[in-house]
Amino acid sequence: MEAGKGTAVLVQSPHNKIILINTGSDASILRGLGEHLPPWKRSIDAVILTSANTRFAGGLPKVMQRYRIKNLIRFGGLGSKGTEDAI
């Protein structure tokens, strides 16, 4: 899905887990999520950031304000590789 000048991928698993890969460059990610998720869905099971570049991770603060993120997985210069709880 388009997210500002970046891109993001929203995945829903067969077990209804929601995974967001990258958050795009800005708050426009919220519009994209609103088009693909029902209004009552306010949690995301995992956000995976593949780069520290704002094109891929710039929308994260807005996503964190609107949605409960259960797991944040960061790679590509965002500190050490690994998984962290974003609660």
Side-chain angles (χ1 to χ4, degrees):
M1 90 178 97
E2 290 291 323
K5 293 184 181 185
T7 58
V9 177
L10 185 65
V11 178
Q12 184 168 0
S13 78
H15 300 289
N16 291 321
K17 299 290 183 185
I18 303 295
I19 301 166
L20 179 61
I21 303 170
N22 295 323
T23 60
S25 61
D26 55 32
S28 64
I29 183 66
L30 298 179
R31 183 174 44 254
L33 290 172
E35 292 173 0
H36 292 90
L37 295 175
W40 61 86
K41 182 69 174 167
R42 290 292 179 210
S43 67
I44 297 173
D45 294 292
V47 173
I48 301 170
L49 298 176
T50 62
S51 172
N53 186 305
T54 57
R55 183 172 180 211
F56 301 100
L60 181 63
K62 294 298 183 182
V63 172
M64 292 180 78
Q65 288 175 356
R66 175 90 38 105
Y67 295 88
R68 179 176 176 261
I69 299 172
K70 295 179 182 176
N71 293 289
L72 177 61
I73 303 166
R74 306 184 311 169
F75 298 96
L78 291 169
S80 61
K81 289 184 181 180
T83 303
E84 34 181 272
D85 290 325
I87 301 173

